[in-house]
């Protein structure tokens, strides 16, 4: 919070809720982070989750059903796991994609709905779940977003959040190809080059 941003390249276990694990996710780090922020920072009363992993973030959604202080924007492939109807009750803004959605449509929807969500809710802290399983060729995400598209997606989110002066924590979540790590690194470097972060003045952790 003190730096205004943080990146955890080992986090984003969004299928795990406070009661059980699921989908390669062993503990509910997103839920835990939000509870810790709400507990320790009295000036934070509204938190937004921007979940752009290819899969529905049903873990944190189950944890925040009925909560008015947590707003969830979830953009995901509707054709794949988990298809959790109960968890969908917690989604404030739901954007369902078809398999093999490509850059132009995807980035338009991300731009439109991130802007709309921020204007609607005015969060005081944002958790950004930046899954790279949206990348073309990912056999679990089944979307067709290019490496360039992923970098642009992250820039869209960070630009809109940072220009409003809202603290943001990014976790990198799913991504199941050998090239995933390089794309994440290139995206972080791009954020630094665009002055959206400073690699000498924030927190990047494993």
């Amino acid at each position: 919070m003190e730096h205004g941003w943080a990146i955890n390249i080992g986090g984003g276990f969004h299928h795990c809720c406070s009661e059980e694990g699921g989908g390669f996710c062993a503990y509910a780090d997103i839920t835990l982070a939000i509870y810790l922020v709400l507990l320790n920072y009295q000036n934070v009363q509204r938190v937004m989750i921007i979940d752009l992993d290819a899969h529905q973030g049903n873990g944190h959604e189950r944890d925040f059903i009925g909560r008015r202080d947590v707003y969830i924007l979830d953009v995901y492939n509707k054709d794949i796991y988990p298809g959790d109807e109960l968890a969908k009750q917690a989604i404030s803004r739901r954007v369902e994609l078809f398999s093999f959605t490509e850059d132009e449509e995807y980035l338009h929807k991300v731009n439109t709905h991130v802007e709309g969500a921020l204007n609607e809710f005015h969060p005081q802290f944002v958790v950004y779940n930046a899954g790279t399983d949206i990348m073309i060729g990912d056999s679990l995400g089944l979307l067709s977003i290019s490496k360039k598209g992923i970098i642009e997606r992250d820039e869209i989110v960070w630009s809109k959040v940072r220009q409003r002066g809202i603290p943001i924590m990014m976790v990198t979540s799913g991504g199941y190809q050998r090239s995933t790590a390089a794309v994440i690194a290139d995206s972080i470097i791009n954020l630094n080059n665009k002055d959206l972060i400073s690699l000498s003045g924030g927190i990047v952790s494993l």
Side-chain angles (χ1 to χ4, degrees), residues 66-201:
R67 291 285 295 261
R68 294 186 177 182
D69 54 349
V70 178
Y71 182 111
I72 300 174
L73 163 62
D74 200 347
V75 181
Y76 60 90
N77 185 343
K78 71 180 187 65
D79 298 325
I80 60 174
Y81 175 90
D84 190 331
E85 295 298 325
L86 175 63
K88 288 179 183 179
Q89 296 177 26
I91 303 175
S92 309
R93 185 177 286 245
R94 184 170 74 207
V95 183
E96 295 187 330
L97 305 172
F98 291 101
S99 293
F100 309 111
T101 296
E102 297 181 349
D103 284 19
E104 183 176 2
E105 177 185 352
Y106 179 78
L107 292 171
H108 173 72
K109 288 183 174 179
V110 167
N111 186 69
T112 298
H113 289 287
V114 170
E115 180 76 15
L118 290 169
N119 289 339
E120 180 181 340
F121 188 66
H122 304 289
Q124 295 160 314
F125 179 67
V126 169
V127 177
Y128 172 35
N129 197 48
T132 50
D133 53 359
I134 64 170
M135 188 163 59
I136 187 168
D138 193 296
S139 61
L140 296 183
L142 294 182
L143 295 174
S144 295
I145 310 306
S146 68
K147 296 176 183 179
K148 180 180 178 182
I150 292 173
I151 293 170
E152 184 174 344
R153 175 202 67 175
D154 292 347
E155 184 178 332
I156 288 170
V157 174
W158 278 81
S159 295
K160 292 182 182 299
V161 173
R162 296 286 279 164
Q163 72 186 12
R164 290 169 167 83
I166 305 168
I168 179 172
M169 178 185 75
M170 182 171 88
V171 289
T172 55
S173 200
Y176 308 100
Q177 301 183 77
R178 290 183 181 274
S179 56
T180 294
V183 174
I184 293 170
D186 287 344
S187 182
I188 292 172
I189 291 169
N190 179 65
L191 295 176
N192 182 71
N193 291 342
K194 296 295 177 66
D195 293 324
L196 294 169
I197 65 173
S198 172
L199 292 178
S200 61

Side-chain angles (χ1 to χ4, degrees), residues 8-79:
N8 183 347
I9 60 174
F13 301 115
H14 68 156
H15 297 306
C16 184
C17 66
S18 57
E19 295 183 353
E20 61 182 0
F24 307 144
C25 300
Y27 67 100
D29 60 337
I30 292 175
T31 296
L32 179 60
I34 290 173
Y35 276 126
L36 287 173
V37 167
L38 291 173
L39 179 65
N40 291 296
Y41 295 90
Q42 301 303 314
N43 60 319
V44 176
Q45 299 178 348
R46 297 185 306 277
V47 176
M48 177 176 289
I49 301 170
I50 299 175
D51 195 332
L52 302 187
D53 187 272
H55 301 83
Q56 176 198 354
N58 63 316
H60 59 72
E61 289 164 5
R62 281 179 172 255
D63 284 334
F64 294 116
I65 290 175
R67 291 285 295 261
R68 294 186 177 182
D69 54 349
V70 178
Y71 182 111
I72 300 174
L73 163 62
D74 200 347
V75 181
Y76 60 90
N77 185 343
K78 71 180 187 65
D79 298 325

